[in-house]
Amino acid sequence: MAEKRIAFLDYLRVIACFMVLLVHCCEQYYFNDKGAFAIASAWDAGWLVWIDSACRAAVPLFVMASAYLLFPVTRPTGDFFRRRLLRVAVPFAVWACVYNWANDGSWGQMLFNFPMATGGHLWFVPMLLGLYLLMPLLSPWAERVKEKELLGWLGLWGFTTLFPFLRKIWGALYGAPDFGAVPYLWGECPWNGFGMFQYVSGFVGYLLLGFWFRKFAGTWSWRKTLVRAVPLHLAGWALVALPFLMRIPAEGGYPVVRPYATAVDLEMSWEFCSLGVAMTVAAYFMVIRKLTATGAFYAKVVRPLAEASYGTYLVHILVLVPVVGGFLKPHLPTPCAIVLGAAATFALSSLASLLLRRIPKVGRFLG
């Protein structure tokens, strides 16, 4: 029997997928073709930071959609894993091979990790598969948990979203530890990456947050939704954007060109499990779950795009790089190139995904 559609999750998938594309379009403006951190002007810096920061919620929103739909697990564990394997892992493996072949990557590396020849965007899938492994284990607890207890765990997870900032503060106050360049927290060290908060941090928090919305949040009016979501989003957006923008090393003026490690450091506030991003994720989810219309636009546009969204995600880098980097970036102002590039990539990638899904017998294995 076909599973009942939850309309707002389809809207969420479409919106989050487009946000992912906006993020990857922004990357065309702070990485050069040699992989170094490079921003041409203050104009570019402002636009890419504010757009990218507004869209960092995209990946966690996908996790929350999975949590809302699948958690707690009600199917037998073997059946649950089989369905996730066919729906998520098999298309991932197929497209990892495609990217590896297209970029002449190392086939041996695929035995241990996603091929870096993909451009890096496939990292999301192993993370999601890891959460799927965890869901059946946590499901018996989720079925009986009280709201107060769940909020306690969410509060603890919320504390861990401060870690990117706490590491910077510790480093500024006390310098790097003797055994490495990275400030470690609460039990972390070079020979132990599993610190005290390892198992209550990371994307598992979004799993629990999505579950809280499903089980305890109830129905809110538009007024109540916006009163909570708008200030939460604005504060979170600022917390994501300002630390990046204010720390761009532009003392000597633009253009700024630095090693790749500079981008890693600046993206501290962009980490998906950092406080500002978590705030914007919650705000977006509050608003999107109010989108419940199931009329003609939903049936003919939103639902098909949502069903094709995983394939759109898998294929989009093949489209985005030549469209934005090769065509739009040299000819259009930065915000226009980013938005139009994301729109064109979304349209072409979605069309490709929809067509691939129509291939008899094998279409479902392509995303």
Side-chain angles (χ1 to χ4, degrees):
M1 183 172 65
E3 294 180 352
K4 183 180 179 181
R5 305 294 299 188
I6 301 176
F8 89 82
L9 292 182
D10 285 333
Y11 286 99
L12 183 149
R13 291 187 186 97
V14 174
I15 293 169
C17 189
F18 185 68
M19 289 167 67
V20 167
L21 270 56
L22 283 169
V23 167
H24 289 164
C25 287
C26 288
E27 289 181 354
Q28 298 294 309
Y29 286 86
Y30 72 96
F31 288 119
N32 62 21
D33 55 5
K34 297 180 181 179
F37 176 77
I39 301 180
S41 65
W43 165 266
D44 283 2
W47 279 109
L48 76 89
V49 168
W50 288 108
I51 294 174
D52 202 314
S53 298
C55 297
R56 281 282 148 174
V59 168
L61 284 172
F62 278 119
V63 173
M64 290 186 66
S66 292
Y68 197 97
L69 186 64
L70 300 172
F71 185 72
V73 176
T74 56
R75 299 179 181 275
T77 300
D79 184 41
F80 173 76
F81 285 151
R82 179 182 63 83
R83 288 172 178 265
R84 295 301 95 198
L85 181 69
L86 293 176
R87 177 68 183 91
V88 178
V90 172
F92 163 73
V94 171
W95 282 97
C97 291
V98 170
Y99 280 101
N100 201 65
W101 172 78
N103 292 278
D104 194 26
S106 170
W107 291 95
Q109 180 185 333
M110 291 181 64
L111 295 173
F112 301 98
N113 202 354
F114 67 89
M116 290 308 296
T118 65
H121 74 293
L122 292 185
W123 71 268
F124 164 74
V125 184
M127 177 276 293
L128 187 61
L129 292 172
L131 288 177
Y132 289 155
L133 291 174
L134 194 61
M135 283 184 185
L137 186 65
L138 294 179
S139 290
W141 167 81
E143 290 172 352
R144 59 180 173 76
V145 70
K146 303 298 183 183
E147 182 178 16
K148 185 176 181 180
E149 180 184 350
L150 179 56
L151 289 174
W153 288 110
L154 282 170
L156 185 60
W157 169 74
F159 170 66
T160 70
T161 65
L162 294 171
F163 284 10
F165 303 96
L166 293 178
R167 287 189 172 93
K168 283 293 180 184
I169 292 171
W170 184 4
L173 291 175
Y174 302 107
D178 293 337
F179 41 70
V182 179
Y184 295 100
L185 295 174
W186 293 296
E188 299 170 343
C189 56
W191 56 91
N192 176 40
F194 301 94
M196 178 178 174
F197 295 94
Q198 173 76 18
Y199 304 106
V200 292
S201 62
F203 282 94
V204 70
Y206 293 115
L207 177 71
L208 299 181
L209 186 59
F211 173 58
W212 178 83
F213 271 104
R214 179 181 179 180
K215 187 170 183 176
F216 297 112
T219 302
W220 301 348
S221 67
W222 268 109
R223 181 180 182 279
K224 183 177 180 179
T225 297
L226 294 177
V227 165
R228 295 182 176 188
V230 171
L232 185 65
H233 181 270
L234 292 176
W237 188 10
L239 188 57
V240 176
L242 290 177
F244 189 112
L245 190 62
M246 296 172 65
R247 295 169 60 236
I248 294 175
E251 296 85 358
Y254 288 89
V256 173
V257 180
R258 295 289 190 278
Y260 176 82
T262 302
V264 175
D265 178 60
L266 289 174
E267 288 185 0
M268 171 196 71
S269 61
W270 283 6
E271 291 184 21
F272 295 109
C273 300
S274 63
L275 180 60
V277 174
M279 293 167 68
T280 63
V281 170
Y284 280 126
F285 198 87
M286 290 177 192
V287 174
I288 293 172
R289 73 187 189 119
K290 298 293 293 180
L291 305 179
T292 57
T294 56
F297 178 73
Y298 168 80
K300 295 181 179 180
V301 178
V302 175
R303 179 170 174 174
L305 289 176
E307 291 174 340
S309 61
Y310 184 44
T312 301
Y313 169 80
L314 292 172
V315 74
H316 78 274
I317 289 294
L318 292 174
V319 179
L320 186 147
V321 173
V323 167
V324 180
F327 180 69
L328 295 178
K329 183 179 177 180
H331 300 101
L332 291 177
T334 299
C336 297
I338 291 173
V339 175
L340 291 178
T345 301
F346 185 74
L348 294 172
S349 301
S350 297
L351 178 61
S353 178
L354 289 166
L355 292 175
L356 289 171
R357 287 169 60 86
R358 291 179 175 268
I359 300 176
K361 297 183 180 180
V362 301
R364 63 175 180 159
F365 299 122
L366 299 175

